[in-house]
Amino acid sequence: MSNSDPKTRPRPGTWPPVPESSPMPPSSWAKKTGFRPKFSGETNASDSGQISLPPPRPREPQTQPDLEAGRARPQPAPNGVPEREMATPPPAPAPPSEKDNKVKRRKESDGGSKSAANGPSGVNGQAATAPTEPNSQPRRASRSEEVVDVLPHGVDDDGYVARHSHMKYELRDTPGLVPIGLYGFQHYLSMLGSIILIPLVIVPAMGGTYEDTANVVSTVLFVSGVTTLLQTSFGSRLPLIQGPSFVYLAPALAIINSPEFQGLNGNNFKHIMKELQGAVIIGSAFQAILGYSGLMSIFLRLINPVVVSPTIAAVGLSFYSYGFPLVGNCLEIGAVQILVVIIFSLVPLGLAITWSAAFLLTEAGAYSYKGCDINVPASNIVSEHCRKHVLRMKSCRVDTSHALRSAPWFRFPYPLQWGTPVFHWKMALVMSVVSIIASVDSIGSYHASSLLVASRPPTPGVLSRGIGLEGLSSVLAGLWGTGTGSTSLTENVHTIAVTKMGSRRAVELGACVLIVLSLVGKVGGFLASIPQVVVAALLCFMWAMLAALGLSNLRYSEAGSSRNIIIVGLSLFFSLSIPAYFQQYGISPNSNLSVPSYFQPYIIASHGPFRSKYGGVNYVLNTLFSLHMVVAFLVAFILDNTVPGSRQERGVYVWSEAEVAKREPAVAKDYELPFRISRVFRWVKWVGL
């Protein structure tokens, strides 16, 4: 660092001297030209979105967040002294001049906002303004206003990631019933695919009828509405929709295709559903204990974007064997469905267009073949002509008459509607491990959504509270019998960024609408009539977006780091390669399996490489290592916490400190429990502010 003696250094104009620094990074030219990049963070944008050019002043190093301490790294002050030492100015050889007095007044003006009533960030995270002296120079835009998109581009005076400044409605906004209704309806429309598609996959796999599918869809709508209200009121309090997660889909299919269920006679659906309920309840109870006991706060220190990114991406990539192979059974509908969704970028609109086309083709007799009945199993069809067309009949037809005729007008979903759950320790252990993956998924969702809608990121205690409530929500899902656990939908973050609707009131209103719709049985019957090929085509889009959303978590770390590239690359490769080894082990190329080809990866429990004398241990190990997201999580978790790397390089998530959150009214209002419930649980420090 060069000498900071004011007698030996030039003074540019009326500004105090600055130390000579290294050459500016190539991206810093944006601050002088007014260029506003979308992702670089080199901007001086105000809340109104206008670009404000700072007055001419000496170059100043950009503040870098110190993620290790959760604060901003101290930067050189105008007189060359670190910011933490500005309170004690260095001794001067001469009495302070008028110029020094101006500098002192300007520094006092900069620090004045920290003593505002609403804390460093003012009301709802907005930067507070302090009065300026008449002779002082115009201040530049506050760093808390320098936020673009969902990235942590700005760091405020306390060093925390700044809040998004272009949301139409933020977390605690209540603009009125009409705006909330319209935006909330749009919000839930974009999430409809994630909520209803999983029952349309697992119920036919369990041998369920159209009536069973309609009942499960109605149950999913009811449980999703109830758990969303619980999460926004007593959990993380972020506007995240709760619903059946794709994280639970692969283990559910593995349990459905267990060898002990292959030779069942009678109603396979209810028997397998009770097994799933027992596994989900035990695994979800483990997740609730993980959250409410405070263990999640400790575990949180080891979970970073480099771990979250490949884990969530592997969830989407793991279903490649189900997607397009099923679409290929009816290309004239499936391929059109994919193209329409890509063109319009809206799942409900694409679903309506293709669903209508499939209905017209079905009514016109395009998928009706003489002498063939879709309700007769393929093994009982003697005619070669029918065997050739049975897949097209099952995949392409829109049999609305069956689903609508069997569904009642009013039906109240109630707990234990399929019977008493059956508990097996081996299936429960698989679901307990998967609940950890679901918690990792939620960590990324909490962090990303808080940057969009809240004044600050949640504290570790708030995050633990949210994970604990997700566990309780999944217990409810197990009791009601949705077939999978309930968690915060990852796609929700993308929807918030697109719709600019971050109000929790909109999400709560939509949850109430879901509960009302779940009571109308015909709604579930109508949704159950979606043909399989349309479901597979929509899932191709949903799973692709899920993989992309998972990889987008790398934006919080140094994505160009060779360390991170190697970790993510190895995690993704082994997440596909190791499960393929387990899934193909012991299967003869000419073997005739009794399950469809797209379900073959989930029958691993009967032929995996683990073949000890303990059948339950073999089941657990063979099943877990055949799940792509489990392998991705293990590889990324081990490498990220063993391979050397700075916290800045790893992109360690920055969470709000409990002491700071309690001092700021805006943060307290964002995350504190309603009805003064938090006062009752003050002694439980690990699940509060």
Side-chain angles (χ1 to χ4, degrees), residues 74-86:
Q75 62 175 350
N79 57 1
V81 182
E83 186 177 1
R84 61 177 177 271
E85 300 177 5
M86 290 178 63

Side-chain angles (χ1 to χ4, degrees), residues 284-437:
S284 303
F286 171 77
Q287 185 183 15
I289 295 174
L290 185 67
Y292 285 122
S293 66
L295 294 176
M296 197 65 212
S297 299
I298 302 175
F299 189 55
L300 188 63
R301 304 172 185 174
L302 306 176
I303 304 299
N304 302 310
V306 181
V307 178
V308 174
S309 178
T311 302
I312 305 308
V315 175
L317 296 176
S318 61
F319 299 105
Y320 66 90
S321 61
Y322 182 92
F324 204 82
L326 193 57
V327 172
N329 293 332
C330 193
L331 275 175
E332 66 272 16
I333 295 179
V336 172
Q337 172 71 80
I338 296 175
L339 292 176
V340 170
V341 173
I342 293 176
I343 292 173
F344 293 101
S345 299
L346 189 61
V347 171
L349 179 61
L351 173 62
I353 294 175
T354 314
W355 196 0
S356 301
F359 175 77
L360 294 177
L361 290 174
T362 302
E363 293 299 319
Y367 306 115
S368 298
Y369 301 94
K370 185 177 180 180
C372 302
D373 188 355
I374 191 176
N375 296 316
V376 178
S379 58
N380 297 332
I381 297 178
V382 181
S383 171
E384 177 69 22
H385 170 71
C386 292
R387 286 201 303 268
K388 183 173 62 175
H389 299 293
V390 66
L391 287 178
R392 289 180 60 81
M393 289 190 295
K394 286 186 175 182
S395 302
C396 306
R397 292 182 60 88
V398 181
D399 294 299
T400 55
S401 57
H402 298 283
L404 289 177
R405 184 170 59 249
S406 60
W409 277 104
F410 177 82
R411 180 181 182 275
F412 181 78
Y414 55 93
L416 306 180
Q417 55 187 327
W418 316 119
T420 304
V422 178
F423 300 95
H424 283 109
W425 70 268
K426 58 181 182 180
M427 298 178 183
L429 186 57
V430 170
M431 280 297 182
S432 297
V433 175
V434 172
S435 68
I436 298 178
I437 308 299

Side-chain angles (χ1 to χ4, degrees), residues 34 90 127 157 186 208 240 258 276 335 344 361 456 458 477 503 541 550 650:
D157 293 334
Q186 180 183 359
L240 295 174
S258 297
L276 277 178
F344 293 101
L361 290 174
R456 298 290 176 94
S503 172
F541 180 83
R650 297 170 64 191

Side-chain angles (χ1 to χ4, degrees), residues 499-547:
T499 60
K500 309 298 183 184
M501 166 53 73
S503 172
R504 70 164 69 102
R505 299 303 179 193
V507 174
E508 291 170 347
L509 180 61
C512 296
V513 174
L514 284 186
I515 295 176
V516 173
L517 291 178
S518 68
L519 303 179
V520 183
K522 295 297 183 182
V523 173
F526 182 66
L527 295 175
S529 66
I530 302 177
Q532 290 185 11
V533 65
V534 175
V535 174
L538 288 176
L539 288 175
C540 286
F541 180 83
M542 301 298 297
W543 287 332
M545 187 176 69
L546 184 61

